[in-house]
Amino acid sequence: MPHLSSGPSEPSITRLSLSVEQPAAILARVRAHASDLTDTLLDDLDAHVTRVVEQYEQDGPAALAPDLVSQRQLIQPLLQAWHRAHHRDRLFRAAARMSGQLSYMAINLGHFDSARAYGLEAFSLADHVNDDELRAWVRGTQSLTEYYAASYGQALELARDGRCYAGGGQQAVRLAVNGEARALGKLGERSAVDRAIGEAYDLLDAFPRQAGMTPCISFGLYSEARTAANAATARLALAQPVEALAYAGRALEVVDASPSMWSRALVRLDMAAAVTSTSRPDLEHAAALMREAMTAANTHRIESIRQRTISTAQDLSAWSAEPVVSELPDEFTHWLANGSPNHDTT
């Protein structure tokens, strides 16, 4: 009869102990994988992102960024834990949107390196869940970073890459007019600007129109008023003041009925630059528009307004001897130098 062993030999036990983990290590990993990630928490994260969109132009990045940074940091450990597929994808999308919003805020605060880093993070997170619409939105924000950093070729490249993800979707409108058209205007590409603006409006026609002035940081479709305001900026860069005024005029009434102080200021700054550069400059109108813009943006001096105010002031400096604008340089200097830390200055 064959001999029956009563148990494994000592060498076998030794080999086993070297090839598996101790129970404490396994249980520690289980605890690390466990989380309180629920639909309720994910709903709350999504609601926080929505609140930022809704409050952004009223409160500004300086007020909203600290809490958003805290929220983004708090969910980072959850990204590294194990979750069900549905929860995981929602979590990554929420994190991507938060990082994208922080990128947008960093642009408005003039912190371009931080904006770039947040943009890379947001795109990576959107890429992780293969979300083309979100990737397209992030590319639009990365393009905006480079536009205000005066890297217009890079801004154009990012916008065009974004359109590869957007296809004919909602984000394609923003990418065409805010990304491509404005960068092309700075590069002096007249016919390409015509094409980009035309494409933006053709794309817009495929969707139900959005009323009013949609929030600048929205993840949705641009309204016609916001599209027109961006087209005006692109035309102005090409020294086409008549066309710029036509587009700005289409946006002005909607802008003035909206809560967006930034848009009120930016449209007026573009109009001031346009009426200054016509064949018969209307200096009195330009001066009035500049003062209205400074008043509108007095507590929200984001980077775009700061840059455009300086640019328009430089345009008007050629007529500094004219009584109607002679006091403006001092007003500009005082306005730019006297933003408090609670304002969105850099």
Side-chain angles (χ1 to χ4, degrees), residues 178-307:
N178 179 273
E180 289 189 49
R182 298 202 314 166
L184 287 163
K186 290 291 190 179
L187 295 169
E189 300 287 345
R190 189 177 300 255
S191 61
V193 170
D194 293 343
R195 183 170 60 254
I197 292 175
E199 289 173 353
Y201 272 94
D202 287 344
L203 288 160
L204 201 59
D205 287 340
F207 300 97
R209 289 296 175 96
Q210 300 293 303
M213 195 72 172
T214 48
C216 62
I217 201 170
S218 171
F219 291 97
L221 179 69
Y222 260 23
S223 64
E224 197 278 331
R226 189 164 290 283
T227 303
N230 279 273
T233 305
R235 294 297 185 190
L236 189 61
L238 291 171
Q240 296 178 317
V242 175
E243 292 87 345
L245 285 168
Y247 279 114
R250 291 165 67 170
L252 185 62
E253 185 175 348
V254 176
V255 164
D256 284 351
S258 80
S260 176
M261 296 300 178
W262 300 338
S263 296
R264 293 186 200 181
L266 290 168
V267 169
R268 280 169 168 77
L269 289 167
D270 279 352
M271 293 179 71
V275 299
T276 302
S277 58
T278 59
S279 57
R280 299 179 64 182
D282 187 342
L283 299 181
E284 185 174 358
H285 191 196
L289 287 165
M290 285 293 298
R291 291 184 173 110
E292 289 172 10
M294 287 189 289
T295 299
N298 192 45
T299 59
H300 288 78
R301 304 180 197 186
I302 55 174
E303 180 66 13
S304 55
I305 292 173
R306 189 190 72 83
Q307 287 192 15

Side-chain angles (χ1 to χ4, degrees), residues 25 34 68 89 93 104 117 121 124 129 141 153-154 164 182 189 191 207 248 272 277 290 298 314 316 332:
L68 187 59
D89 288 355
R93 286 189 178 93
Y104 203 105
E121 181 177 59
S124 175
V129 290
T141 302
Q154 184 68 9
C164 294
R182 298 202 314 166
E189 300 287 345
S191 61
F207 300 97
S277 58
M290 285 293 298
N298 192 45
Q314 289 172 343
L316 282 168
F332 296 151

Side-chain angles (χ1 to χ4, degrees), residues 63-256:
L64 293 174
D67 184 56
L68 187 59
V69 167
S70 295
Q71 291 286 331
R72 180 63 186 83
Q73 290 174 343
L74 283 171
I75 67 172
Q76 183 60 28
L78 295 177
L79 294 171
Q80 300 163 351
W82 176 89
H83 306 292
R84 293 179 177 86
H86 170 67
H87 285 167
R88 180 203 63 209
D89 288 355
R90 284 192 64 189
L91 178 65
F92 271 80
R93 286 189 178 93
R97 290 190 178 101
M98 287 182 177
S99 292
Q101 288 177 327
L102 287 167
S103 179
Y104 203 105
M105 292 181 186
I107 298 167
N108 288 161
L109 293 167
H111 302 315
F112 300 127
D113 286 342
S114 293
R116 291 184 180 107
Y118 278 128
L120 287 171
E121 181 177 59
F123 190 85
S124 175
L125 291 164
D127 207 37
H128 188 83
V129 290
N130 199 30
D131 189 327
D132 278 344
E133 184 173 10
L134 190 49
R135 282 187 286 211
W137 186 91
V138 175
R139 282 290 190 249
T141 302
Q142 290 175 308
S143 175
L144 191 69
T145 303
E146 300 308 328
Y147 178 84
Y148 282 111
S151 299
Y152 303 119
Q154 184 68 9
L156 177 60
E157 183 179 334
L158 285 162
R160 285 178 168 168
D161 187 60
R163 290 191 66 179
C164 294
Y165 294 104
Q170 294 185 2
Q171 294 306 313
V173 178
R174 178 192 182 210
L175 288 158
V177 72
N178 179 273
E180 289 189 49
R182 298 202 314 166
L184 287 163
K186 290 291 190 179
L187 295 169
E189 300 287 345
R190 189 177 300 255
S191 61
V193 170
D194 293 343
R195 183 170 60 254
I197 292 175
E199 289 173 353
Y201 272 94
D202 287 344
L203 288 160
L204 201 59
D205 287 340
F207 300 97
R209 289 296 175 96
Q210 300 293 303
M213 195 72 172
T214 48
C216 62
I217 201 170
S218 171
F219 291 97
L221 179 69
Y222 260 23
S223 64
E224 197 278 331
R226 189 164 290 283
T227 303
N230 279 273
T233 305
R235 294 297 185 190
L236 189 61
L238 291 171
Q240 296 178 317
V242 175
E243 292 87 345
L245 285 168
Y247 279 114
R250 291 165 67 170
L252 185 62
E253 185 175 348
V254 176
V255 164
D256 284 351

